[in-house]
Amino acid sequence: MAKFIFVTGGVVSGLGKGITSASLGMLMKSRGFKTTNIKIDPYINYDAGTMSPYQHGEVFVLDDGGEVDLDLGNYERFLDTNLTFDHNITTGKVYSTVIEKERRGDYLGATVQVIPHITNEIKERIRRIAEGYDVVVVEIGGTAGDIESMPFLEAARQMQLEEGRENVAFVHVTYVPKLKVVGEQKTKPTQHSVKELRSLGIQPDAIIARSEDPLEEGARKKISLFTNVPEEAVISAYDVEDTYEVPLLLEREGLGRYLTKRLGLEEREPELGAWEEMVRKYKSLKDEVEIAIVGKYIKLADSYLSIKEALKHSSVANDVKVKIRWIEAEDLEKEGSKLLEGVHGIIVPGGFGARGSEGKIMAIQYARENDIPFLGICFGFQLTVVEFARHVLGLDGANSTEINPQTPYPVVDLMPEQRGLDKLGGTMRLGAYPVKIKEGTLAHRLYGKELIYERHRHRWEVNPEYIERLEKAGLVFSGIAGDDERRMEILELPDKRYFIATQFHPEFKSRPMKPAPVFRGLVKAAKEMKG
């Protein structure tokens, strides 16, 4: 029978509940318990696919094609696991299922209500995922007191009643501010937040107090007294240099041990040696290379979270720290390529729509002409084809029909099956697909195999009508879709130091101990270029 740990948030959003939940899952897994994580998002959207990265950070894509919250990316990286679309529960999913059942007559004439119908659907989804696991960590998005979160908190309360208190624990993440005027940590916001939870029938078992500095002893005692949580379960989660330190911090604070005992699990020593070594190595890196990311959502760095993490993983693998130079593609259009001077590598990531596309093309041209290590991803791959067509093949005005439907040279176009779609959500080429790699290419050297599975999120493709001309001019398509040979997946320029682009998103499968090969290769090339 599975044990459940519900993670809730209080005071303010953006405290790092996702990293906390990922760390908790990892601490349980490191003790040998079969563990998984679930993310509950209280928004009414069915999934994260149609949301702007400005609203919610990057859209993370799973093997099964699920477009989900970026926290699932954290779970996959921390637990080194692959999750499914069902691991992300949204209000939109829950309500659409309940309405479907009501239309079918499944409720036999009952008045359909939030309790019990919505809460039952939520519990059913959680239990379905829990089958076969020892521990399930469920993160409830939002902040205690939000109207959207109420049904989920109520479902969690009911689960403790139904599963038994010994099988369900609550961990509440709050914020302890330090006012400059007074110079002491204030516990009142935490007290109010817990009061809010208790008014909903939930008593937290542990409190994770987020603060800039370690929690003062007085503050810990006060939180314990006013929230009815034992002192040993008031955990100080102060700011650390790197998110990968968080599980080690929580373990030092005794959270893993406390929850193991609280849930009646067998006491075991966690195996964290490799993780500790990885964190130690990352923190001790002295050499640095600078890599530019030229994107259109630069104002919110979380829009490119997985790319940032893949670079971190590759830093450890190459013994060199990556400093990121964030460049807004539109600024490049205005100010020119001087913004790229001095970098040791350039990444042009994914993104939809025309805004900033010319700036991205300028970055690709700069990388190609100056032989700077380059990686293009998804839209970046497509624009690399556009840049090559314009400046090497001389096809003036070449473009993607996504940007200019009237382009004289549609080198990137929609496949016939993508035309005439009336729905945007979930209709792209999504999830893991096979990619066949040609021998003797850079891609083959990087991956070391002829068949890989990588995650996609796109509609447009390289137009098959132009492939021969592009290849004759020196562009090599070294990866082709294993399920449909019309689709180009990887391109490279063999005469360059390191120039590669992928139609898929390699960053989604990068892990702290197993960096994505194309990122690892980019950082290696950047290090060699710096010399």
Side-chain angles (χ1 to χ4, degrees), residues 1 9 108 154 237 257 264 271 364 384 411 415 441 447 530:
M1 191 171 164
L108 304 172
E154 171 59 20
R257 200 168 51 249
E271 287 182 22
I364 296 161
T384 304
V411 289
M415 286 288 181
T441 59
Y447 281 94
K530 190 183 178 188

Side-chain angles (χ1 to χ4, degrees), residues 94 97-98 101 116-125:
V94 170
T97 303
V98 168
K101 287 180 178 176
H117 301 98
I118 295 292
T119 49
N120 283 352
E121 177 63 31
I122 293 164
K123 291 184 295 186
E124 201 179 298
R125 282 171 177 264

Side-chain angles (χ1 to χ4, degrees), residues 48 279 315 322 348-349 375 382 392 405 417 483 498 515 530:
V279 169
S315 293
V322 173
V348 174
L375 171 61
Q382 295 166 4
V392 179
E417 62 272 19
D483 63 325
Y498 187 89
K530 190 183 178 188

Side-chain angles (χ1 to χ4, degrees), residues 9-13 15 143-144 172-177 188-191 193:
V11 189
V12 289
S13 59
L15 283 176
T143 310
H172 193 49
V173 184
T174 74
Y175 179 54
V176 179
K188 193 62 81 180
T190 298
Q191 294 175 42
S193 181

Side-chain angles (χ1 to χ4, degrees), residues 159-442:
M159 276 188 75
Q160 189 172 56
L161 189 68
E162 293 160 6
E163 302 281 330
R165 195 175 171 277
E166 68 284 1
N167 295 318
V168 177
F170 287 96
V171 173
H172 193 49
V173 184
T174 74
Y175 179 54
V176 179
K178 189 174 192 169
L179 301 179
K180 280 191 181 129
V181 189
V182 197
E184 67 170 342
Q185 290 176 333
K186 290 291 180 189
T187 65
K188 193 62 81 180
T190 298
Q191 294 175 42
H192 280 304
S193 181
V194 172
K195 192 176 169 190
E196 182 77 47
L197 261 190
R198 287 164 83 177
S199 74
L200 301 170
I202 292 170
Q203 165 63 44
D205 295 285
I207 285 177
I208 294 184
R210 287 282 294 108
S211 56
E212 282 162 31
D213 307 308
L215 200 59
E216 293 152 13
E217 216 34 57
R220 193 192 295 262
K221 281 188 163 65
K222 211 168 174 185
I223 290 172
S224 167
L225 183 66
F226 282 101
T227 61
N228 207 25
V229 168
E231 260 184 64
E232 62 167 323
V234 178
I235 305 294
S236 170
Y238 50 90
D239 289 354
V240 287
E241 197 182 314
D242 183 57
T243 50
Y244 294 133
E245 288 179 63
V246 177
L248 305 176
L249 172 68
L250 297 180
E251 184 57 38
R252 277 200 306 276
E253 283 277 311
L255 184 63
R257 200 168 51 249
Y258 172 78
L259 285 172
T260 305
K261 191 169 76 186
R262 163 67 183 79
L263 290 167
L265 289 159
E266 183 192 326
E267 278 207 37
R268 299 173 183 169
E269 275 305 304
E271 287 182 22
L272 293 167
W275 194 270
E276 282 168 350
E277 177 55 24
M278 181 265 297
V279 169
R280 187 201 61 72
K281 197 172 168 189
Y282 182 69
K283 286 177 77 174
S284 67
L285 293 173
K286 296 279 181 283
D287 286 349
E288 208 176 62
V289 291
E290 192 174 17
I291 289 178
I293 295 180
V294 182
K296 60 185 279 194
Y297 307 115
I298 296 298
K299 288 184 187 74
L300 183 68
D302 266 2
S303 307
Y304 303 107
L305 181 66
S306 293
I307 290 178
K308 240 167 47 177
E309 296 305 309
L311 287 171
K312 214 183 273 182
H313 310 158
S314 303
S315 293
V316 177
N318 285 296
D319 292 315
V320 65
K321 208 164 213 161
V322 173
K323 182 182 168 202
I324 296 173
R325 187 187 295 185
W326 297 101
I327 297 176
E328 192 72 55
E330 285 174 292
D331 291 346
L332 204 59
E333 290 171 14
K334 290 185 210 121
E335 296 175 46
S337 55
K338 66 171 188 283
L339 296 180
L340 291 163
E341 280 170 18
V343 297
H344 309 109
I346 294 172
I347 295 175
V348 174
F352 294 93
R355 187 174 67 79
S357 59
E358 290 302 319
K360 290 181 175 185
I361 290 169
M362 284 168 73
I364 296 161
Q365 184 176 7
Y366 183 83
R368 182 179 58 78
E369 291 178 350
N370 295 284
D371 199 5
I372 289 164
F374 170 77
L375 171 61
I377 299 167
C378 194
F379 192 46
F381 166 88
Q382 295 166 4
L383 292 180
T384 304
V385 172
V386 171
E387 191 280 326
F388 192 84
R390 283 185 193 177
H391 303 125
V392 179
L393 276 182
L395 302 179
D396 207 23
N399 217 328
S400 163
T401 54
E402 178 184 5
I403 300 164
N404 176 12
Q406 267 67 58
T407 170
Y409 305 108
V411 289
V412 175
D413 199 4
L414 278 177
M415 286 288 181
E417 62 272 19
Q418 280 288 347
R419 293 186 187 140
L421 287 174
D422 57 352
K423 275 191 190 158
L424 287 180
T427 52
M428 289 182 270
R429 183 169 170 87
L430 281 166
Y433 284 92
V435 177
K436 289 194 292 196
I437 296 179
K438 292 178 186 169
E439 279 191 53
T441 59
L442 170 62

